Amino acid sequence: MKKKISIYDIARDMSVSSATVSYVLNGKAAEKRISKGLEERILAHARELGYRPNMIAKSLRTGKTKIIGMLVEDISDPFFSSIAKVVEERAAQLGYRIFYCSTENDTTLTKGLLRVFRDAQVDGYIIAPPPGLEQDLQELQEDGYPVVLFDRFFDGLETANVVTDNFDGAYQAIRHFVENGCQQIGFITLDSEQVQMQDRLSGYDKAMEQSGLESLVLKVPYEIKHRNAAGKIKTFLEDNSHLEAVLFATNYLAIAGLEVMNDLHMQAPADLSVISFDDIKYFSLFSPSVTAVAQPVEAISEAVIQQLIDCLESSGTLEKKTTVLPVNLVVRASSSPVLAVR
Amino acid sequence: MKKKISIYDIARDMSVSSATVSYVLNGKAAEKRISKGLEERILAHARELGYRPNMIAKSLRTGKTKIIGMLVEDISDPFFSSIAKVVEERAAQLGYRIFYCSTENDTTLTKGLLRVFRDAQVDGYIIAPPPGLEQDLQELQEDGYPVVLFDRFFDGLETANVVTDNFDGAYQAIRHFVENGCQQIGFITLDSEQVQMQDRLSGYDKAMEQSGLESLVLKVPYEIKHRNAAGKIKTFLEDNSHLEAVLFATNYLAIAGLEVMNDLHMQAPADLSVISFDDIKYFSLFSPSVTAVAQPVEAISEAVIQQLIDCLESSGTLEKKTTVLPVNLVVRASSSPVLAVR
DNA sequence: GTATAACGCATAATCGATTAAGTGTTAAGG
DNA sequence: CCTTAACACTTAATCGATTATGCGTTATAC
């Protein structure tokens, strides 16, 4: 293992103290009135030796790591990975690194990950929290760490939040169905108390009520989300063959639903009109292309990282406000109006 | 900011030295013959105070961070994010954390990321390297860091590599086309010297040659991969309207290709039979469902993490071997035999 | 009865930085 | 001629761990 160069090596070579080297390397030469000549010689020698500061020693001393911990639900979900990518990029430009992990929306697992992040002394947190994390987030904030939540938040908890207009997304989707002449409109969502899901449900309910239509909702238990969502959806569609349209609350529910429709030899939109939340880039190539409620990935990422880094750099306090970004209904084939009488 | 508990706090409370506390907390009480009673009292008090070791101080002293740096081409590509997720999971079980970043296959960017990782003193590296990284990887290894490459590697460089049988993947795909009666078979790939791309090309060429068919290859310049691959592909398909089948060398090329086909009102497989490399979960729902050469994501991840952690834990040296994992052709609608005479 | 070993812990150096306070030299001021 | 200030750095404490070595007390051995 090659020995790393430390400021002591440079100090020795230049016959000065390590403090002088430290000041010079931190650009405090003028402030500490180190002579121009010495400054330049130290800089030159540091470059020559290929000196790289030991971040660990630096962090131990300063208490800052320039690392941001990010917890997403699932890094292999295109919605989250797109956000992670943009956040990572912006953070890098501002001199910060992002460490991300998938929570699987599991409370216990997430508490463990939070411990890991605290142990790693990350400077700040970006979190799409699973349920039941109020206490931990509260403590995190009380201990002075800046936290920005995104995609969802907790009603009782004062935090900085960046979310999209989930209510309006669902509302627009249902209005679109109604304008296309659908009346029997279902909503397939997760059985979750989380605010983003509740808002989507409210948007659906509201739009249905305003249109004088009756709600029909399937709540898939969270635990079986990946294992057997398809089974539940299949039963639901079979039991409610009168349905003309369905809004899916997440992209993976929609994908499971489309698989079920394939199985049942149902075509969208002829047999069932379909809209999904989260516009993932693959939807345009699905059979049929899928209408989706697009969340503004770039805007979410920008808002999140901006707020966090502003706070970190100013050592000020984070403004505990909720930023709501608009959604956009991307209309594709899966929700085309069906002309023929059913 | 709440003050963190250190071993000194515990030592003071118990009226012992910090060394004693350190031994106890590291399970070396017996070895250092600390009395059972004291050991238990220290442990109890540590728990009571909610003591958490300062990983930064620990790392500074030991030189180990229990962190693995992982460089993938693009974290929002399902192929890479699936691998990242499995690797992350296994690493966590073994007490390691993964920090990942996207290289965009950009040499300069990647060199920078390597610097960041070195600065962060990660214990080991998992890398899907962009071109031109030989020198840096060489140095990394010479400096004593374990490195495992995956998805691609460098012929002149002795490293531990985990790759799939790219040659066979392309070969199987072409054989499948031929068995379905296709003769005019094109290959759309990247203009890249990287080994995984070269192998896919060789597999294609070999299969074509053995079938007595003539090769027809489009090499999309790497730089325009995302910006304008579609344009190149469109021109290629228009100029070669006699093509009956096309193999795409990556999932995003296939996606671009399918978009172009939509544009040109070409249907797969009737107008053009299609196979893609990388089986991403969305392919089954595309229009039509896409036949793909599936790489064994789980097996790749396991092999990568196993080799690296074995090396880290045994402080032995990494075996510089290349592990080649088999691929699997998943046949779907986009490559169905076309019965009608063309 | 004394040398030796075993026991049970303490001392202090160390990792590589940061930074407040100090120190020796020279020049200017009165 | 002596004080003060400016200059240009140095000293040393500190962050929170790890770990080789040391050291006083009691028990055992011969």
Side-chain angles (χ1 to χ4, degrees):
Chain A
M1 189 81 64
K2 199 158 83 182
K3 196 194 167 311
K4 281 203 66 171
I5 309 294
S6 78
I7 56 171
Y8 291 100
D9 299 321
I10 299 178
R12 189 177 6 81
D13 293 356
M14 300 273 104
S15 307
V16 297
S17 77
S18 66
T20 306
V21 177
S22 173
Y23 289 134
V24 168
L25 294 177
N26 284 292
K28 295 188 183 158
E31 181 187 332
K32 295 291 170 180
R33 28 187 188 222
I34 310 292
S35 65
K36 260 293 174 215
L38 180 54
E39 178 184 4
E40 276 160 21
R41 282 187 295 125
I42 288 177
L43 250 20
H45 193 60
R47 179 148 334 149
E48 191 182 336
L49 293 184
Y51 169 77
R52 294 254 105 203
N54 182 320
M55 290 306 175
I56 296 183
K58 187 174 247 182
S59 295
L60 177 59
R61 189 64 236 268
T62 62
K64 304 258 148 258
T65 54
K66 292 273 181 180
I67 292 172
I68 293 170
M70 181 163 178
L71 293 172
V72 301
E73 183 169 329
D74 177 0
I75 196 66
S76 66
D77 180 315
F79 172 66
F80 288 108
S81 68
S82 314
I83 291 184
K85 199 176 165 189
V86 179
V87 167
E88 181 183 3
E89 210 177 294
R90 295 285 181 286
Q93 290 164 357
L94 298 166
Y96 282 82
R97 297 268 326 115
I98 303 285
F99 290 170
Y100 29 87
C101 290
S102 308
T103 66
E104 314 290 344
N105 226 24
D106 178 305
T107 311
T108 312
L109 176 57
T110 305
K111 284 173 189 262
L113 292 172
L114 272 185
R115 276 261 60 95
V116 171
F117 279 153
R118 294 198 68 157
D119 287 352
Q121 324 249 129
V122 304
D123 290 345
Y125 295 80
I126 297 174
I127 308 179
L133 218 68
E134 293 91 336
Q135 187 67 39
D136 296 78
L137 294 175
Q138 178 75 42
E139 280 171 19
L140 217 50
Q141 294 203 122
E142 279 168 2
D143 292 352
Y145 295 100
V147 177
V148 177
L149 304 187
F150 75 103
D151 192 53
R152 68 256 343 230
F153 57 90
F154 299 104
D155 259 333
L157 193 66
E158 288 230 329
T159 45
N161 312 312
V162 176
V163 295
T164 50
D165 196 340
N166 287 296
F167 179 96
D168 185 55
Y171 186 88
Q172 278 191 46
I174 301 310
R175 295 295 308 165
H176 175 70
F177 279 144
V178 171
E179 280 159 18
N180 284 351
C182 297
Q183 306 233 337
Q184 307 290 328
I185 307 171
F187 182 46
I188 297 186
T189 184
L190 294 171
D191 189 6
S192 158
E193 299 295 315
Q194 292 189 95
V195 67
Q196 81 279 21
M197 291 303 155
Q198 289 297 318
D199 285 356
R200 291 171 196 186
L201 179 57
S202 304
Y204 165 80
D205 280 338
K206 180 73 173 189
M208 292 298 281
E209 188 194 319
Q210 284 190 355
S211 311
L213 301 174
E214 209 162 321
S215 292
L216 183 55
V217 176
L218 168 65
K219 296 185 178 182
V220 177
Y222 202 92
E223 314 78 63
I224 67 156
K225 150 187 162 188
H226 289 300
R227 284 209 319 278
N228 199 19
K232 290 276 175 196
I233 294 172
K234 187 167 189 174
T235 310
F236 179 75
L237 293 183
E238 285 173 337
D239 291 354
N240 297 282
S241 53
H242 59 287
L243 276 174
E244 297 165 345
V246 166
L247 170 63
F248 290 94
T250 76
N251 72 58
Y252 46 83
L253 285 174
I255 289 168
L258 292 167
E259 280 168 352
V260 167
M261 288 176 63
N262 275 349
D263 262 20
L264 298 176
H265 301 291
M266 292 170 70
Q267 298 266 345
D271 301 315
L272 188 69
S273 216
V274 168
I275 300 181
S276 172
F277 245 86
D278 299 346
D279 186 31
I280 63 180
K281 69 177 179 181
Y282 308 100
F283 275 163
S284 61
L285 289 163
F286 275 25
S287 166
S289 62
V290 179
T291 298
V293 177
Q295 305 197 57
V297 166
E298 294 263 339
I300 296 172
S301 312
E302 303 266 9
V304 162
I305 197 71
Q306 203 60 56
Q307 282 191 50
L308 191 58
I309 292 194
D310 278 358
C311 168
L312 286 173
E313 295 291 281
S314 72
S315 353
T317 34
L318 206 52
E319 207 183 334
K320 305 263 174 46
K321 65 176 179 193
T322 297
T323 307
V324 180
L325 300 166
V327 298
N328 175 28
L329 184 70
V330 179
V331 177
R332 298 204 185 85
S334 71
S335 68
S336 301
V338 176
L339 300 177
V341 173
R342 226 176 279 260
Chain B
M1 189 81 63
K2 197 157 83 182
K3 197 193 167 309
K4 281 203 66 170
I5 308 294
S6 80
I7 55 170
Y8 291 101
D9 299 321
I10 300 178
R12 189 177 7 79
D13 292 356
M14 300 273 105
S15 306
V16 296
S17 78
S18 67
T20 305
V21 176
S22 174
Y23 288 134
V24 168
L25 294 177
N26 285 291
K28 295 187 183 158
E31 180 187 333
K32 294 291 170 182
R33 29 185 188 219
I34 311 291
S35 64
K36 261 293 173 215
L38 180 55
E39 179 184 3
E40 277 160 19
R41 280 186 299 124
I42 289 177
L43 250 22
H45 193 61
R47 178 146 336 147
E48 190 182 338
L49 293 184
Y51 169 77
R52 293 254 105 204
N54 183 321
M55 291 306 175
I56 296 183
K58 187 174 245 181
S59 295
L60 178 59
R61 191 64 237 270
T62 62
K64 304 259 150 259
T65 54
K66 292 273 179 178
I67 293 172
I68 293 170
M70 180 164 179
L71 293 173
V72 301
E73 183 170 330
D74 177 1
I75 195 65
S76 67
D77 181 315
F79 173 66
F80 288 108
S81 67
S82 315
I83 291 184
K85 199 175 165 189
V86 179
V87 166
E88 181 184 3
E89 209 178 296
R90 295 285 182 286
Q93 290 163 359
L94 299 166
Y96 283 80
R97 298 268 326 116
I98 303 284
F99 291 168
Y100 27 87
C101 289
S102 308
T103 67
E104 314 289 345
N105 226 23
D106 178 304
T107 311
T108 312
L109 176 57
T110 305
K111 285 172 188 263
L113 293 173
L114 273 185
R115 276 259 61 93
V116 171
F117 278 152
R118 294 198 67 156
D119 288 352
Q121 322 249 128
V122 304
D123 290 345
Y125 295 81
I126 297 174
I127 308 180
L133 218 67
E134 293 91 334
Q135 187 67 40
D136 297 79
L137 294 175
Q138 178 75 41
E139 280 172 20
L140 216 50
Q141 293 202 123
E142 280 168 2
D143 292 353
Y145 296 99
V147 178
V148 177
L149 304 186
F150 76 101
D151 192 52
R152 68 267 323 245
F153 57 91
F154 299 104
D155 258 334
L157 193 66
E158 288 231 328
T159 45
N161 312 314
V162 177
V163 296
T164 50
D165 196 340
N166 288 296
F167 179 95
D168 185 55
Y171 187 87
Q172 277 192 47
I174 302 309
R175 294 298 308 166
H176 174 71
F177 280 144
V178 172
E179 280 160 19
N180 284 352
C182 297
Q183 306 234 337
Q184 307 290 329
I185 307 172
F187 182 46
I188 298 186
T189 183
L190 294 171
D191 189 6
S192 158
E193 298 294 316
Q194 292 189 94
V195 67
Q196 81 279 22
M197 292 301 154
Q198 290 297 317
D199 286 354
R200 291 172 196 186
L201 179 57
S202 305
Y204 165 79
D205 280 337
K206 180 74 172 188
M208 293 298 281
E209 187 194 321
Q210 283 190 355
S211 312
L213 300 174
E214 211 162 318
S215 290
L216 183 55
V217 176
L218 169 65
K219 294 186 179 183
V220 177
Y222 202 92
E223 314 77 65
I224 67 156
K225 153 186 159 188
H226 288 301
R227 282 208 322 277
N228 200 19
K232 290 278 174 194
I233 294 173
K234 187 166 187 173
T235 310
F236 179 76
L237 293 183
E238 284 173 336
D239 290 354
N240 298 283
S241 52
H242 60 287
L243 277 175
E244 297 164 345
V246 168
L247 170 63
F248 290 94
T250 75
N251 71 58
Y252 46 82
L253 285 174
I255 290 169
L258 292 168
E259 280 168 353
V260 167
M261 288 176 63
N262 275 349
D263 261 21
L264 298 176
H265 302 292
M266 291 171 71
Q267 297 268 344
D271 302 315
L272 188 69
S273 215
V274 168
I275 301 182
S276 171
F277 246 86
D278 301 345
D279 186 30
I280 62 180
K281 68 177 180 180
Y282 308 99
F283 275 163
S284 60
L285 290 163
F286 275 26
S287 167
S289 61
V290 180
T291 298
V293 177
Q295 305 196 58
V297 167
E298 294 262 340
I300 296 172
S301 312
E302 303 266 9
V304 162
I305 196 72
Q306 201 62 54
Q307 283 191 51
L308 190 59
I309 292 195
D310 278 358
C311 168
L312 286 174
E313 296 291 281
S314 73
S315 350
T317 34
L318 207 51
E319 207 182 334
K320 304 265 173 47
K321 64 176 181 196
T322 297
T323 307
V324 179
L325 300 167
V327 298
N328 175 27
L329 185 69
V330 179
V331 177
R332 297 205 185 85
S334 70
S335 68
S336 302
V338 177
L339 299 176
V341 173
R342 227 178 277 260

